[in-house]
Amino acid sequence: MKSSTTMLPSNIANYASFFLLIISIILLIVGSKAQLNSTFYDNTCPNASSIVRGVIQQALQSDVRIGASLIRLHFHDCFVNGCDGSILLDNSANIQSEKDAAPNTNSTRGFNVVDNIKTALENSCPGIVSCADILALAAEASVSLQGGPSWTVLLGRRDSLTANQAGANSSIPTPFESLTNITAKFTAVGLNTNDLVALSGAHTFGRAQCRLFSSRLYNFSGTGNPDPTLNSSYLTTLQQICPQSGSGFNVANLDPTTPDTFDNNYFTNLQNNQGLLQSDQELFSTSGAPTISIVNTFSSNQTAFFQSFAQSMINMGNISPLTGSNGEIRSDCKKVNGS
């Protein structure tokens, strides 16, 4: 009896230490997940979301493509060093711009609209809203303004002090890659197969340059023939838009059915062998791929697609953000402060 009473305080101390350790770990995990939140600007810039939306609404009046272009900027930003606004930085003495990386050069667009958003925000609440958060807010507004879902954008990202051109060249999925390679690039940033298919659905609006898919029209994989997965009448249409001797900079609709509306027709197009990019059609035409059943679900159920897309956008927006005292809030999205 005596020995058990003398052991009791020691046991209590051990248990207490153990529980404190567990609580610390839980707080650490919760804290890391809670760094971004939907109320981040509620006190400092409560109109941030409506300001972003207003500028995009205005831009859409003269450029129906701008929504797709803006969501692409967010995507290409997040896949390189996380969602840190690095894609927006111009070349400087210390920075090799991601704009000049192969997936972005002569291709990414909408930077002027981002600048207009930043100017409007700086006029309303100077030094508060980051360029990285502008991209996240712009992506949501672009989708919802063109018929797609809305979601609660998590905020609190800060802007990078540098860019990673080499990372942009290696990390951003390209239209020419196999489904295996693209899946690996999504996995590398913590996104799964459902995220891959859902986010590919952003190709329900916007355009692509002929140079990104012309090999499918004439000489697919060095065969001297078109991609056999291309619908024959769709092939003829695309060959008219993109002649073999053309410049490669003509554009075709990513969704030939409803090119400027955010809906689930993209997935029906894949079922009909009308995916524009190789990377699109592979989601449905790669034998035995786990993506096929997801394409079928999204094609038959737009609500399921919208719900998955919204969640996958939140997941993508959570990739390695700079928070707290890391990075800065750029006053001009094209350059780091003081440069």
Side-chain angles (χ1 to χ4, degrees), residues 12-288:
I12 290 172
N14 289 339
Y15 281 127
S17 299
F18 175 74
F19 283 121
L20 283 171
L21 178 64
I22 294 298
I23 290 168
S24 298
I25 292 171
I26 291 171
L27 288 174
L28 189 65
I29 293 170
V30 171
S32 69
K33 294 291 184 186
Q35 287 176 328
L36 301 183
N37 63 79
S38 60
T39 61
F40 191 82
Y41 297 117
D42 279 10
N43 295 323
T44 54
C45 195
N47 295 324
S49 182
S50 59
I51 290 170
V52 172
R53 191 178 184 88
V55 174
I56 295 173
Q57 276 181 308
Q58 185 65 36
L60 279 167
Q61 302 304 310
S62 57
D63 181 5
V64 74
R65 296 172 59 189
I66 195 61
S69 299
L70 290 170
I71 196 172
R72 187 164 179 250
L73 287 181
H74 185 42
F75 179 88
H76 283 208
D77 182 40
C78 290
F79 267 69
V80 183
N81 290 10
C83 310
D84 62 357
S86 58
I87 193 173
L88 303 174
L89 289 171
D90 283 344
N91 283 311
S92 70
N94 302 314
I95 289 172
Q96 283 190 304
S97 177
E98 293 172 22
K99 296 177 184 180
D100 293 333
N104 297 328
T105 187
N106 298 316
S107 176
T108 45
R109 59 194 298 275
F111 297 106
N112 59 321
V113 176
V114 174
D115 289 340
N116 292 342
I117 294 170
K118 183 61 173 174
T119 297
L121 287 167
E122 289 297 301
N123 288 339
S124 179
C125 30
I128 298 297
V129 181
S130 69
C131 301
D133 275 348
I134 287 173
L135 292 180
L137 288 165
E140 190 279 336
S142 295
V143 170
S144 60
L145 283 169
Q146 293 188 258
S150 297
W151 62 91
T152 301
V153 181
L154 303 183
L155 301 163
R157 300 167 192 82
R158 289 168 65 85
D159 297 321
S160 70
L161 303 175
T162 188
N164 184 359
Q165 188 181 109
N169 278 319
S170 62
S171 300
I172 296 172
T174 75
F176 316 107
E177 291 184 275
S178 68
L179 180 57
T180 299
N181 284 3
I182 292 171
T183 302
K185 288 184 175 183
F186 272 73
T187 302
V189 293
L191 299 177
N192 63 26
T193 302
N194 197 77
D195 295 319
L196 164 58
V197 180
L199 293 172
S200 295
H203 288 173
T204 181
F205 64 173
R207 315 284 185 267
Q209 296 172 355
C210 293
R211 64 190 178 94
L212 299 179
F213 58 87
S214 58
S215 63
R216 301 186 70 206
L217 311 183
Y218 302 104
N219 185 22
F220 183 63
S221 298
T223 61
N225 295 307
D227 184 340
T229 64
L230 261 174
N231 175 290
S232 58
S233 61
Y234 186 45
L235 170 63
T236 301
T237 300
L238 293 176
Q239 287 175 332
Q240 291 170 350
I241 297 170
C242 306
Q244 195 162 10
S245 58
S247 70
F249 288 98
N250 288 352
V251 295
N253 295 323
L254 282 160
D255 176 355
T257 49
T258 51
D260 299 317
T261 302
F262 197 100
D263 54 28
N264 69 331
N265 282 343
Y266 166 83
F267 299 102
T268 306
N269 296 337
L270 300 186
Q271 293 173 324
N272 295 329
N273 290 329
Q274 290 183 309
L276 183 64
L277 306 177
Q278 176 185 332
S279 54
D280 292 324
Q281 193 58 50
E282 284 172 340
L283 297 176
F284 187 73
S285 297
T286 302
S287 179

